[in-house]
Amino acid sequence: MTARAGAAIRIERLNKIYGDLKAVDDVSLDIAAGEFLTLLGSSGSGKTTTLMIVAGFALPDSGNVWIGDRPITQLPPERRGLGVVFQSYALFPHLDVKENIAFPLRMRRVQAAEIERKVARVLELVELGAFRDRRIGQLSGGQQQRVALARALVFEPPVLLMDEPLGALDRKLREQLQVEIKRIQRDLGVTVIYVTHDQEEALSMSDRIAIMAEGRILQTGTPDEVYEAPHSAYVADFLGESNFIRGQASETGLLARTDGDPRCMAAARATVAAGAEAVGIVRPEAIRLEADTRGLPNQITGEIELREFLGADLRLSVLTPVGALTVRTPRLGQHAGLLPGARVTLGWSAEDMALFPADKGGT
Amino acid sequence: MRNLTGGGAWLVLPAVLLLAAFFLWPVGELVARSFRDPAGAWVHYQRIWEVPAYLRILNRTLVISAMTTVICVVLAYPLAYRLVTASPMGRAVILVCVLIPFWTNLLVRSYGWIIMLNPQGVINSALMGLGLIDEPLRLVYNTTGVLIGMSQIMLPFMILPIAAVMARLDPKVTHAARSLGATPVQAFFKVYLPLTMPGVMAGSVLVFTISLGFFVIPALLGGSREILLAQLIEFNINQVLNWGLAAALSTVLLIATLGLYWIGDRWFGLGRIWGLK
Ligand SMILES: Nc1ncnc2c1ncn2[C@@H]1O[C@H](COP(=O)(O)OP(=O)(O)OP(=O)(O)O)[C@@H](O)[C@H]1O
Ligand SMILES: [Mg+2]
């Protein structure tokens, strides 16, 4: 496998309707050559449908797909030349490992000696050299996954499409293969569209993430961007943990609803007009405790309800006038007294609270 | 469950007793009788081997069974594919069409075919009426009639195992083949067909072995000069009263059937397809 550049992919205004369901709703994406882009979304959000349109197994009702400057929307799958890895692996159980991997080369009438060489090389790449003559049924899930990867890479496609390739594996194996897939992708320079509903997987592997819901792309950005600066309450909720504080937008932030008078809070990022119903979002790890809250514009006291031990971190659930807030704080330090029943002061900066219109989903 | 049935062995006892009394014992008796001739244990078998007419009948039986099997494969494979890819409604329609003849009495069906196929029958009248043929086709009382009748009866035995294998096949494997550069035709021959072959083999063994012993269809739809093995056995029992020879012929048939079933089970996983393993 020579290191060769992947191809850019352009997806333009794809639509796919099943009955009265918009499975893919006006999806556009520009993916650079060699980029690792993940489609992330909950079940039924249209990730697989989008990927299958790119692979050629579903025709869009409208829209186009280009690989490089070649339009491929109307081509049958076998003429697109893309590598595809399916969640179920879809290996050929009647062929052994090397014949599975040789399949795309045989379809391309590659010479026998060349096939031998390429299969050996890709087997080495996925570290399966010793399993060359095994039957598929004699492989573990992780090994089958590697065979599927090798088979999709052996003909040196410029683009690799993967639909939840690690979905069926246990956590440890999954993390190991994540690293390996990333390494292979970087070495080969192949462009990847990766589908998952596992946010950690998406955050750790991707150059960019496109977050999908109900057939639409809500936000596209680097893992840092989508995590740090979600464009909507939905994205904030979907990626990682978030606290939702409801109220009305004001000139400077949020008038948070309580049992009594509303509390005035400062928020830096606001996409809401003053006076409208709004929700303020704060990450659990952005909330400071006790002495650390000094000088912060948003402060509130409450009673600890729950204390969870998470190894390096503590997670507290604190009942405050604006509702229960989750706090995540390093376990080491001065927090020995953080026990259920104790009263604590919480605080966060204006930069750490983002404001969104309340009607856009949320909790 | 285990405790409830006390191991469950007694649940199969009635069936085992019934099988022993009405199947294993008579069959054993039959096999034993074929060796019990005063002139020597092997005389009947020697005769089968030496008389050309017997070998011809044996040969014809094998050929007709093989042809029935091939016809069934050709008809059943696409039907099974439609069956597993159809909507639930379509599936029900196909299943009913395949199985209704199955629920009809064999004699009724055979006479039905005679009505359809005889020289003045529906098919010949229609073809002549359309001017497609000048003389009636000879469709019954010959090999053609036997093949038509047997194929129809055997079709479900072929469709069901093939459909069972197709239904279990991950539809993504043909997608994978296409993504790897195979045209639809290549994907079919390189992936779909080999992976559904066990179903074809299982159905074939079944159809072939059942066809070997078929009596009613060849007797009613076949020609009187082209008899098959089961008719020969019946002839020896009812007409010439040579029970020893009939027993020997039956033993040959039994061994052929068991042998084929063993091959089918061993190499093509017949038992697995019926869900026994
Ligand atoms: N062939 C089809 N016919 C009808 N509806 C379909 C078809 N394929 C997908 N859908 C519907 O389109 C929507 C999107 O499906 P899709 O498989 O793309 O979701 P997904 O994001 O991949 O979900 P998951 O994470 O569960 O795999 C779903 O509501 C699904 O039921
Ligand atoms: Mg999916």
Side-chain angles (χ1 to χ4, degrees), chain A residues 52 57 76-78 81-82 84 86 88-95 100 103-104 107-109 151-152 155, chain B residues 169-187 189-195:
Chain A
M52 289 301 116
F57 296 115
E78 66 270 20
L82 312 177
V84 184
F86 297 89
S88 56
Y89 313 142
L91 296 173
F92 306 135
H94 62 303
L95 302 176
N100 262 276
F103 188 91
M107 290 301 114
R108 288 168 173 74
R109 303 184 188 290
R151 189 179 66 173
F155 59 100
Chain B
L169 188 63
D170 179 3
K172 286 283 193 304
V173 293
T174 39
H175 277 184
R178 297 285 304 279
S179 78
L180 296 169
T183 62
V185 173
Q186 284 173 319
F189 282 105
K190 300 277 180 203
V191 176
Y192 198 80
L193 187 60
L195 286 177

Side-chain angles (χ1 to χ4, degrees), chain A residues 74-346:
Chain A
Q74 301 300 326
L75 288 182
E78 66 270 20
R79 293 187 40 210
R80 298 190 178 200
L82 312 177
V84 184
V85 177
F86 297 89
Q87 175 169 1
S88 56
Y89 313 142
L91 296 173
F92 306 135
H94 62 303
L95 302 176
D96 61 16
V97 168
K98 74 176 174 324
E99 278 308 311
N100 262 276
I101 297 173
F103 188 91
L105 302 175
R106 297 208 187 282
M107 290 301 114
R108 288 168 173 74
R109 303 184 188 290
V110 176
Q111 304 232 310
E114 182 75 358
I115 289 179
E116 192 76 11
R117 204 174 54 77
K118 289 193 167 183
V119 169
R121 200 114 56 93
V122 78
L123 274 172
E124 205 172 304
L125 187 73
V126 298
E127 295 166 4
L128 272 185
F131 296 87
R132 164 172 201 284
D133 296 315
R134 286 273 189 105
R135 292 235 135 212
I136 298 306
Q138 301 168 325
L139 298 178
S140 72
Q143 290 160 348
Q144 292 190 17
Q145 172 50 241
R146 286 164 208 249
V147 176
L149 189 62
R151 189 179 66 173
L153 286 172
V154 71
F155 59 100
E156 295 169 26
V159 170
L160 189 59
L161 308 175
M162 301 187 169
D163 190 0
E164 308 209 18
L166 308 180
L169 304 177
D170 66 51
R171 191 187 174 83
K172 205 163 149 87
L173 197 54
R174 222 158 63 198
E175 284 168 1
Q176 187 187 335
L177 276 164
Q178 285 170 9
V179 174
E180 232 170 285
I181 290 173
K182 211 37 213 176
R183 167 181 64 81
I184 291 170
Q185 183 253 340
R186 262 201 224 107
D187 288 355
L188 301 180
V190 59
T191 312
V192 170
I193 304 183
Y194 191 95
V195 163
T196 183
H197 60 248
D198 180 337
Q199 45 156 314
E200 282 176 36
E201 194 166 293
L203 290 170
S204 73
M205 294 178 85
S206 318
D207 294 324
R208 269 194 312 153
I209 299 176
I211 293 166
M212 290 190 77
E214 294 173 353
R216 276 171 204 274
I217 291 182
L218 299 182
Q219 186 173 356
T220 311
T222 64
D224 294 277
E225 281 167 5
V226 288
Y227 188 83
E228 301 286 344
H231 286 176
S232 63
Y234 181 91
V235 174
D237 189 31
F238 190 76
L239 276 182
E241 248 183 319
S242 292
N243 290 299
F244 288 74
I245 302 170
R246 304 186 165 278
Q248 270 183 333
S250 68
E251 294 298 334
T252 55
L254 181 72
L255 287 170
R257 211 172 290 129
T258 67
D259 288 339
D261 293 332
R263 299 269 298 236
C264 196
M265 292 186 167
R269 288 177 284 134
T271 56
V272 202
E277 284 293 306
V279 53
I281 287 177
V282 189
R283 297 283 189 196
E285 67 270 22
I287 299 181
R288 308 265 165 271
L289 290 163
E290 303 288 37
D292 295 345
T293 63
R294 215 166 295 138
L296 290 174
N298 300 309
Q299 294 199 7
I300 198 160
T301 52
E303 185 185 316
I304 299 178
E305 265 192 319
L306 265 174
R307 175 183 181 276
E308 273 175 279
F309 179 67
L310 301 177
D313 285 351
L314 277 183
R315 182 157 66 197
L316 306 174
S317 178
V318 181
L319 201 58
T320 71
V322 297
L325 297 181
T326 303
V327 181
R328 198 170 168 137
T329 184
R331 187 170 55 87
L332 295 175
Q334 70 283 50
H335 305 309
L338 297 174
L339 293 169
R343 289 195 71 79
V344 283
T345 307
L346 311 178

Side-chain angles (χ1 to χ4, degrees), chain A residues 18 21 23 41-50 87 163-164 195 197:
Chain A
Y18 288 119
L21 176 94
S42 55
S43 188
S45 55
K47 309 179 296 289
T48 298
T49 309
T50 305
Q87 175 169 1
D163 190 0
E164 308 209 18
V195 163
H197 60 248

Side-chain angles (χ1 to χ4, degrees), chain B residues 21-42:
Chain B
F22 295 107
F23 182 73
L24 294 179
W25 184 73
V27 166
E29 176 59 26
L30 188 76
V31 172
R33 180 172 285 206
S34 73
F35 293 104
R36 232 185 258 143
D37 198 277
W42 294 96

